[in-house]
Amino acid sequence: MDLHTVTEVVSPAAPGMWRPGDAWLGGGTALFGEPRPSISRLLDLPSAGWPPITVRDDGLEIAATCTVATLFRTLGTYDVVAQCCHAFLASFKIWNVATVGGNLCAALPAGPMISLGAALGGMCRLLDPSGGERFVPVAGFVTGEGRTVLREGELLRSIELPAVIPRTAFRRGSLHRHGRSAVLLIGALDRDGAFTLTVTAATRRPWVLRFDEVPSPEGLDAALRAIGPSDYVDDVHGHPAWRAHLTGYYAEQIRTELSR
């Protein structure tokens, strides 16, 4: 898609450069996916040279400009990372261009980087035009289909993950073998026995259900009822009732797997 209203590209870009009519440019796979007549200038972030992944004593920092290919090469030994990368069902060309931050900011229900960050308790580091920063949980960053908590001119700088990756179980469903994710669930079991179930793709925003221990089938089912019919996505990739059914079906599989 050509953005024919764009008259200038600023490279490299920084938070203080933003002005009305600008858009932050990462990999561009989402930005160039549809007409955006309100955009007149692009602020190029990859050329800023942010380290893709920084390992610290207290965890990992994944730059918003980190590509899916780099994420897979660096952290793909973790099953949940590899599974979420493969959930793109994209060619190597997309893997080498699409960014982790772009997938979050597009806020599509099927965004697997949203699933990964929410399931691992990630935090989004956001920068505003004045250089100030704030932190928002990945699970709360996306508020609906195509909607995030980003304010005008604010950008996603990075996603911070904990140092210890918990034991996980992954389930993904689609109407077609190579179709867009219609249901994507990740269960996580911490060392202290706490259990979380993250529901994405089926719902308009991430849902993270937390338990002190692996719940009973009845307890898990009761928690899932908090997700109402209107919370499920209704589009060509699946009817809400089918998504809700598959969510419950996969949730029980995950509960069983992590209780062993």
Side-chain angles (χ1 to χ4, degrees):
M1 177 68 68
D2 292 328
L3 301 183
H4 63 276
T5 56
V6 172
T7 59
E8 184 182 0
V9 177
V10 178
S11 179
M17 297 178 177
W18 187 89
R19 69 189 188 197
D22 287 352
W24 299 108
L25 173 64
T29 56
L31 185 63
F32 288 92
E34 59 185 60
R36 302 179 188 274
S38 63
I39 297 176
S40 59
R41 194 172 71 150
L42 298 177
L43 303 179
D44 181 40
L45 292 176
S47 60
W50 299 339
I53 298 176
T54 302
V55 180
R56 302 193 304 257
D57 291 339
D58 60 345
L60 301 170
E61 182 176 19
I62 302 172
T65 52
C66 176
T67 64
V68 176
T70 299
L71 180 69
F72 181 77
R73 286 195 302 268
T74 308
L75 300 177
T77 52
Y78 294 102
D79 287 344
V80 68
V81 175
Q83 289 162 335
C84 286
C85 287
H86 284 299
F88 274 97
L89 296 176
S91 71
F92 72 93
K93 292 182 287 186
I94 297 297
W95 269 40
N96 280 284
V97 176
T99 62
V100 174
N103 193 244
L104 267 75
C105 293
L108 299 177
M113 297 297 97
I114 301 171
S115 310
L116 177 66
L120 297 183
M123 297 291 292
C124 295
R125 180 186 170 200
L126 310 181
L127 302 181
D128 64 33
S130 67
E133 68 177 27
R134 65 184 177 118
F135 291 85
V136 176
V138 173
F141 179 76
V142 175
T143 58
E145 295 179 80
R147 301 199 309 272
T148 71
V149 298
L150 285 171
R151 299 165 183 165
E152 189 174 35
E154 203 169 33
L155 68 88
L156 172 60
R157 170 61 179 83
S158 60
I159 299 90
E160 298 189 356
L161 298 179
V164 178
I165 304 296
R167 180 186 169 199
T168 60
F170 178 98
R171 295 293 187 280
R172 175 188 171 277
S174 173
L175 285 174
H176 308 285
R177 181 178 180 184
H178 297 295
R180 177 180 291 185
S181 299
V183 181
L184 199 160
L185 274 67
I186 300 174
L189 188 65
D190 292 341
R191 291 180 177 178
D192 61 2
F195 174 89
T196 61
L197 179 71
T198 301
V199 180
T200 56
T203 52
R204 302 181 188 281
R205 63 168 179 84
W207 285 75
V208 181
L209 308 178
R210 295 181 172 85
F211 306 84
D212 293 334
E213 59 185 6
V214 177
S216 64
E218 296 78 15
L220 181 59
D221 182 65
L224 285 171
R225 291 177 189 171
I227 307 175
S230 63
D231 295 315
Y232 286 95
V233 177
D234 185 5
D235 61 15
V236 296
H237 301 289
H239 190 277
W242 173 73
R243 293 177 191 258
H245 169 75
L246 207 55
T247 295
Y249 179 74
Y250 284 154
E252 176 54 26
Q253 287 188 350
I254 288 173
R255 188 201 69 81
T256 301
E257 180 177 333
L258 293 181
S259 64
R260 294 171 184 158

